[in-house]
C-alpha cells in the first residue's frame, strides 16, 4: 500500500500537538526539563484536564519549541515518503506517463508555461468553432420562420446540406486554396493534401475553426433566395462557392494567419497592404451578401411578391417566434465567431465579447426606431435584423475599438439595415430574409469602421486601404456569384416554376409536408 504524505502529516501533527499540550505542566522548572522522557505520568495530569490552568510563558515557549521540532521532523518524513512513492510505483508501459514528484517552483520553466498557454488556446479555439457551428442552426431557424409553411422542408434541406457539402469540399481543396502558398497574393496553389498532417498536428484545430466561417458565408444566400430556388441548383452553387469564391477572398485577407498553424503563411495582396478584417465583416459577410444580391437578381422575385405596377406585397412568414429564436442562436454563436478569432486564450477576449454584445443591442433599437418612423409601427422583423446588422458591423472592428464606439457602429448598422430593406423593395428585389441589408451593407460598414473608430487614432491612409479591401471583396463576390448563378440557370435551371412555387417547394422538390397534421390556406 502506498501511503500519502499530506494526509499522514496532517494526522500526526494533530495528534502530537494535542499530546504535547497535555504533557506540558502548569509550571516549567529545571527539574522538568531534565526529567527522562520515559518517566511515569504523574496523577496530577487528570487534574489538568478537570481543572485547566493557564500555563506560564516559559511553559508555552517550551511547547512551541517542541512543536517546531516535531514539524521539522514530519516535513522531512513527508519528503522521504513522497520519494518512496515514486521509487515503489509500478512501472508503466506503452505511452503511459510515469509518476513524477510534486512540481516545485524551480520546475515551472518558461517552456512549461508556454505549453499550458498553447493548450488553453487550443481548447478556446475549438470551443469557438463549436459556437460558430451553432450558427448553422440559427440560420435555419431564422429562415424557416420568415418563410411560409409550405417551404419549410426545402429551407431546412438547403441549410443542412450546404454545410455538409461545403465542409467536405473545404477539407479536400478549399482550405488549401485559402491558406496554401500564394500565387501573386491572389490564391493558394500548393499541393498540400490536408489529411497528410499527423493526427495531433495543430492544423486540425485551425481547420475546424475556419470551416465554420466558410460555411456561414455560403449559407447567407439561402435566406435571400428562399421559396423559389431549385434545390439542385442551390447545391451546385454551394459546391462552387467553396472552391472559386470564398477561398479566394479569404486568401486575400487572411492567408498569413496560416503560418502559425503549419500552412505556408504567405500574405494575400490585401493583407500585405495592411488590410484588417478581424473576424470577417468583409471576408465572410460582405462576400456572402454580395452573392445573395447576385442571386436574387438572377432568380427574380417570388410569385406574388410585387404587383404589376411594382407595388410590394407582404408575404408573411409562418413562424416569427422561430425567426427570433434563430436570431438569438446566431447572436450566441457570434461570441465564438468574434472572440474566438483571437486564436489565443488571452484577456482581449473580454472586450471583444462586450463589443459583440453591445453593437447588436444598438442595432436592434435603432433599426426598430427608424422603421417605426417610416411606417408608424415598430416592426419585429426589422428589429431582429437590426441586431444581426449590428453583429455584422462589429465583426471586423471588435478588437480595436472601444465599447462606446461599438454603440455607434451598431447604431449606424441598424439604420443601414432599415434603409437598405426599404431600398430593395423600391428596386423590386425580393430578399426573403434580409440577407443583403444585414450582411452586404453592414459588412462594408463594419470594415471601414476599423479605421474610423480605431482606438489608436484615425488614419486617412488606413481608411483608404479598408475601403479598397471591402469593395474589392464585395465586387468579386458579386461578379463571381452572378456568373455562377447564370451558369446554373442556363444548365440545370435555377428558378422554380410558378406552379411549383404556388404548391410549395416541400411538395414539388421533396414530396413531403413539414406539418402533416395541419392544413393551411396558403396559395401564393
Amino acid at each position: 500500500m502506498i501511503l500519502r504524505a499530506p494526509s499522514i502529516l496532517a494526522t500526526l501533527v494533530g495528534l502530537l500537538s494535542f499530546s504535547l499540550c497535555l504533557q506540558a505542566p502548569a509550571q516549567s522548572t529545571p527539574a522538568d526539563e531534565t526529567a527522562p522522557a520515559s518517566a511515569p505520568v504523574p496523577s496530577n495530569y487528570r487534574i489538568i484536564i478537570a481543572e485547566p490552568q493557564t500555563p506560564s510563558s516559559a511553559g508555552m515557549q517550551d511547547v512551541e519549541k517542541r512543536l517546531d521540532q516535531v514539524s521539522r521532523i514530519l516535513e522531512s518524513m513527508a519528503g522521504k515518503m513522497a520519494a518512496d512513492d515514486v521509487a515503489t510505483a509500478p512501472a508503466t508501459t506503452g505511452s503511459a506517463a510515469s509518476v513524477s514528484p510534486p512540481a516545485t517552483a524551480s520546475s515551472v520553466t518558461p517552456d512549461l508555461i508556454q505549453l499550458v498557454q498553447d493548450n488553453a488556446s487550443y481548447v478556446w479555439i475549438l470551443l469557438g468553432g463549436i459556437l460558430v457551428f451553432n450558427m448553422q442552426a440559427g440560420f435555419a431557424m431564422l429562415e424557416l420562420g420568415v418563410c411560409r409553411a409550405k417551404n419549410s422542408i426545402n429551407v431546412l434541406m438547403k441549410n443542412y446540406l450546404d454545410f455538409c457539402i461545403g465542409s467536405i469540399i473545404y477539407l479536400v481543396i478549399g482550405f488549401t486554396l485559402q491558406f496554401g502558398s500564394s500565387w501573386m497574393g491572389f490564391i493558394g496553389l500548393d499541393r498540400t493534401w490536408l489529411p497528410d498532417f499527423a493526427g495531433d498536428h495543430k492544423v486540425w484545430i485551425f481547420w475546424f475553426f475556419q470551416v465554420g466561417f466558410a460555411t456561414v458565408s455560403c449559407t447567407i444566400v439561402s435566406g435571400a433566395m428562399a421559396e423559389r430556388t431549385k434545390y439542385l441548383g442551390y447545391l451546385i452553387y454551394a459546391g462552387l462557392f467553396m472552391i472559386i469564391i470564398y477561398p479566394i477572398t479569404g486568401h486575400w485577407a487572411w492567408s498569413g494567419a496560416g503560418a502559425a498553424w503549419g500552412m505556408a503563411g504567405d500574405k494575400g495582396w490585401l493583407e500585405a497592404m495592411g488590410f484588417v478584417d478581424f473576424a470577417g465583416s468583409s471576408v465572410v459577410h460582405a462576400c456572402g451578401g454580395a452573392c445573395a444580391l447576385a442571386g436574387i437578381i438572377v432568380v427574380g422575385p417570388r410569385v406574388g411578391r410585387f404587383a404589376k405596377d411594382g407595388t410590394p406585397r407582404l408575404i408573411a412568414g409562418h413562424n416569427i417566434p422561430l425567426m427570433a429564436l434563430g436570431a438569438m442562436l446566431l447572436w450566441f454563436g457570434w461570441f465564438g465567431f468574434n472572440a474566438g478569432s483571437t486564436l489565443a486564450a488571452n484577456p482581449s477576449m473580454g472586450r471583444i465579447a462586450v463589443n459583440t454584445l453591445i453593437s447588436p443591442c444598438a442595432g436592434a433599437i435603432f433599426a426598430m426606431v427608424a422603421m417605426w418612423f417610416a411606417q408608424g409601427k415598430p416592426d419585429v422583423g426589422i428589429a431582429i435584423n437590426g441586431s444581426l446588422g449590428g453583429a455584422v458591423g462589429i465583426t471586423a472592428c471588435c478588437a480595436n475599438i472601444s465599447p462606446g464606439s461599438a454603440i455607434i457602429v451598431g447604431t449606424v448598422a441598424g439604420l443601414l439595415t432599415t434603409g437598405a430593406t426599404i431600398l430593395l423593395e423600391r428596386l423590386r428585389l425580393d430578399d426573403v430574409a434580409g440577407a443583403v441589408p444585414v450582411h452586404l451593407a453592414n459588412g462594408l460598414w463594419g470594415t471601414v469602421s476599423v479605421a474610423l473608430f480605431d482606438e489608436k487614432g484615425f488614419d486617412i491612409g488606413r481608411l483608404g486601404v479598408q475601403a479598397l479591401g471591402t469593395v474589392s471583396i464585395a465586387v468579386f463576390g458579386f461578379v463571381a456569384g452572378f456568373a455562377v448563378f447564370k451558369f446554373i440557370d442556363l444548365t440545370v435551371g435555377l428558378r422554380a416554376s410558378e406552379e411549383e412555387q404556388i404548391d410549395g417547394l416541400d411538395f414539388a422538390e421533396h414530396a413531403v409536408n413539414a406539418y402533416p397534421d395541419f392544413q393551411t390556406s396558403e396559395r401564393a
Side-chain angles (χ1 to χ4, degrees):
M1 181 179 67
I2 299 175
L3 298 177
R4 297 300 173 192
S7 60
I8 295 175
L9 178 61
T11 304
L12 289 177
V13 168
L15 292 174
L16 289 174
S17 298
F18 180 71
S19 173
L20 286 170
C21 288
L22 288 179
Q23 292 176 18
Q27 301 292 332
S28 178
T29 65
D32 292 330
E33 294 177 359
T34 58
S38 58
V41 179
S43 60
N44 65 346
Y45 275 53
R46 297 181 180 177
I47 300 174
I48 293 174
I49 298 174
E51 299 178 9
Q53 300 178 19
T54 302
S56 67
S57 59
M60 288 300 297
Q61 290 176 2
D62 182 57
V63 171
E64 291 174 359
K65 288 180 181 179
R66 294 187 185 184
L67 285 175
D68 186 56
Q69 292 173 355
V70 170
S71 177
R72 287 197 297 269
I73 293 171
L74 290 177
E75 287 176 0
S76 176
M77 291 173 60
K80 291 180 180 179
M81 293 171 69
D84 290 343
D85 279 353
V86 176
T88 59
T92 57
T93 59
S95 60
S98 60
V99 179
S100 301
T104 62
S106 60
S107 68
V108 181
T109 63
D111 289 342
L112 179 59
I113 294 173
Q114 186 60 50
L115 179 63
V116 173
Q117 173 64 53
D118 289 344
N119 282 280
S121 297
Y122 298 156
V123 172
W124 169 239
I125 295 167
L126 283 173
L127 177 60
I130 292 169
L131 290 173
V132 174
F133 172 75
N134 178 74
M135 296 176 75
Q136 294 293 331
F139 277 113
M141 294 300 100
L142 185 144
E143 187 181 337
L144 182 61
V146 300
C147 291
R148 290 165 289 183
K150 62 184 180 181
N151 297 305
S152 298
I153 297 296
N154 185 257
V155 165
L156 294 175
M157 288 289 286
K158 287 176 180 176
N159 279 271
Y160 209 95
L161 268 296
D162 66 11
F163 178 82
C164 297
I165 292 171
S167 295
I168 292 175
I169 292 178
Y170 195 68
L171 174 69
V172 174
I173 186 173
F175 183 78
T176 301
L177 292 174
Q178 184 173 353
F179 293 101
S181 299
S182 184
W183 178 73
M184 301 178 64
F186 184 77
I187 190 172
L189 288 182
D190 63 24
R191 299 180 180 180
T192 302
W193 173 237
L194 195 60
D196 285 344
F197 285 95
D200 60 351
H201 198 285
K202 60 185 177 181
V203 72
W204 297 114
I205 298 170
F206 189 56
W207 182 90
F208 181 79
F209 188 68
Q210 291 296 328
V211 71
F213 285 64
T215 51
V216 161
S217 186
C218 178
T219 202
I220 289 170
V221 167
S222 176
M225 300 174 63
E227 298 197 309
R228 77 274 200 194
T229 304
K230 287 188 174 181
Y231 186 62
L232 177 60
Y234 178 80
L235 296 185
I236 294 173
Y237 148 78
L240 293 175
F241 179 86
M242 300 297 286
I243 300 174
I244 64 175
I245 300 179
Y246 180 82
I248 294 177
T249 58
H251 184 84
W252 295 356
W254 287 347
S255 179
W261 303 91
M263 300 302 289
D266 299 337
K267 291 184 177 182
W269 70 275
L270 282 177
E271 189 178 9
M273 293 178 65
F275 176 75
V276 174
D277 185 3
F278 184 76
S281 286
S282 287
V283 174
V284 176
H285 297 283
C287 180
C291 287
L293 178 60
I296 62 177
I297 291 174
V298 174
V299 77
R302 291 168 289 176
V303 172
R305 179 64 175 92
F306 297 99
K308 292 182 179 180
D309 62 356
T311 303
R313 294 172 176 170
L314 174 65
I315 299 180
H318 83 286
N319 197 327
I320 300 304
L322 268 185
M323 178 190 183
L325 174 62
M328 293 299 290
L329 288 173
L330 285 169
W331 197 347
F332 178 69
W334 232 294
F335 292 108
F337 205 91
N338 288 358
S341 292
T342 57
L343 297 180
N346 60 49
S348 67
M349 300 183 301
R351 194 179 70 170
I352 291 172
V354 170
N355 286 343
T356 305
L357 176 69
I358 292 299
S359 182
C361 292
I365 293 170
F366 284 91
M368 178 196 69
V369 170
M371 189 60 82
W372 201 338
F373 276 104
Q375 67 179 19
K377 292 184 182 296
D379 183 271
V380 60
I382 203 68
I384 291 172
N385 275 353
S387 68
L388 298 179
V392 172
I394 201 63
T395 297
C397 55
C398 57
N400 74 305
I401 70 172
S402 68
S405 296
I407 295 175
I408 300 174
V409 171
T411 298
V412 176
L415 298 176
L416 280 174
T417 300
T418 301
T421 301
I422 295 172
L423 178 62
L424 285 180
E425 279 196 342
R426 292 182 179 177
L427 295 174
R428 302 183 189 181
L429 295 175
D430 185 13
D431 182 351
V432 179
V436 174
V438 169
H439 299 279
L440 176 57
N442 290 300
L444 297 171
W445 161 242
T447 307
V448 297
S449 295
V450 171
L452 290 175
F453 302 102
D454 189 355
E455 61 185 349
K456 295 180 180 178
F458 175 75
D459 185 332
I460 187 65
R462 189 178 192 190
L463 178 61
V465 170
Q466 293 298 115
L468 172 65
T470 190
V471 170
S472 298
I473 290 172
V475 169
F476 178 83
F478 177 81
V479 173
F482 191 89
V484 166
F485 287 123
K486 269 297 183 183
F487 168 76
I488 295 170
D489 192 39
L490 294 173
T491 52
V492 301
L494 186 64
R495 181 178 174 86
S497 68
E498 180 174 342
E499 181 181 357
E500 289 172 331
Q501 291 185 53
I502 292 174
D503 290 340
L505 297 185
D506 285 1
F507 176 78
E509 295 268 21
H510 311 284
V512 291
N513 185 353
Y515 305 100
D517 295 330
F518 296 90
Q519 292 184 348
T520 68
S521 59
E522 294 176 351
R523 287 296 297 168

